[in-house]
Amino acid sequence: MSPRPPQKSDSTEDLSLMLAHFDACYVVNQDSDIVCVNDWIKSAAPALWVGFTSGGTIWRFHKDVPPNVREQTEALLLKESFEDREAEFPAKDSEYRRLFPAHGAKAGPTYWMPLSPTRSSCDSRPVSSRGQSLLEGTQLSPWIPDIPHQQPMFVSLDSGKAVTICASVRITETAHVAGVETSVGFRRQGRGSDVVVAWATEVIASGATAFYSTSWQNQASRCLARRVGFRRFGWEYSVG
């Protein structure tokens, strides 16, 4: 589906950012239908994805969504309008859920880093293929298989072990999307900010755009994004 025309000429950047964010997050086929998540294990993708910006709304369907469901969904999407507010779900959320009854819905803001972070990161360390010992025996050990595939990756340490991590969980040549996790017991200590700053600095230095997204309900994650200098360019919604 082609993007709707921009509502304001100075909002086209937000629409372009949303398109780049989508391209980083998902693999599509020749018809621009979603095939899978853009990660190294090719995770299952949603049936419907929608990106709302002040410059327009874009949407994509999973390749297996039948034509009649697409038609009904698009008729609803054409009635949606972007509002620069913290809307938990779009106006037609209940109808999308009816059309995709076997799937849950998610929504949340999308951010990008316009410039290299101004604050320094004094408590983070890069993790390479030789650094898996930093994660072994910790709550973050499930990230160990991701090390070769999700670079750059940074951790914050306590007693020589990783307690917070930030890595590129979606990657294209021009964009990276951050994934962040902090071990229970070490949250709300500023550690997430340190690793995200280190990650964003390296991504931007490589010439790529640094993206960050979260859910409306995750207040701590949203505060982190604002604190380190990310700018919100829209919000996304998915079913499936």
Side-chain angles (χ1 to χ4, degrees), residues 60-80:
R60 299 288 186 270
F61 294 101
H62 190 276
K63 63 182 181 64
D64 294 334
V65 176
N68 65 313
V69 175
R70 294 180 187 227
E71 292 174 6
Q72 294 177 67
T73 304
E74 288 187 335
L76 295 169
L77 286 164
L78 288 169
K79 298 176 183 178
E80 296 278 7

Side-chain angles (χ1 to χ4, degrees), residues 9 11 32 34 56 76 94 96 104-106 116 121 130 136 141 205 210 215 218:
S9 60
S11 301
S32 297
I34 301 171
L76 295 169
S94 62
Y96 303 134
K106 300 178 182 178
S116 293
S121 176
R130 299 180 180 180
E136 291 173 345
S141 60
S215 67
N218 194 336

Side-chain angles (χ1 to χ4, degrees), residues 89-111:
F89 290 105
K92 306 296 183 180
D93 172 57
S94 62
E95 295 176 74
Y96 303 134
R97 293 180 192 240
R98 177 182 58 80
L99 288 166
F100 302 95
H103 307 286
K106 300 178 182 178
T110 52
Y111 304 89

Side-chain angles (χ1 to χ4, degrees), residues 139 158 163-164 182-189 191:
Q139 295 178 36
D158 183 81
V163 294
T164 304
T182 299
S183 301
V184 176
F186 293 92
R187 294 169 184 170
R188 301 186 183 279
Q189 297 180 9
R191 293 176 179 271

Side-chain angles (χ1 to χ4, degrees), residues 1-4 15 18-20 22-23 26-29 31-35 45-51 57-63 65 70 73-74 77 100 237-239:
M1 178 68 195
S2 300
R4 293 168 65 184
L15 183 61
M18 187 61 79
L19 285 164
F22 170 82
D23 289 341
Y26 300 103
V27 175
V28 299
N29 61 18
D31 297 317
S32 297
D33 288 338
I34 301 171
V35 176
L48 168 69
W49 176 91
V50 187
T57 302
I58 59 173
W59 55 84
R60 299 288 186 270
F61 294 101
H62 190 276
K63 63 182 181 64
V65 176
R70 294 180 187 227
T73 304
E74 288 187 335
L77 286 164
F100 302 95
Y237 169 78
S238 62
V239 185

Side-chain angles (χ1 to χ4, degrees), residues 156 164 166 180 182 189-197 224 227-228:
S156 173
T164 304
C166 179
V180 185
T182 299
Q189 297 180 9
R191 293 176 179 271
S193 298
D194 282 334
V195 293
V196 171
V197 165
L224 185 156
R227 187 163 58 245
V228 304

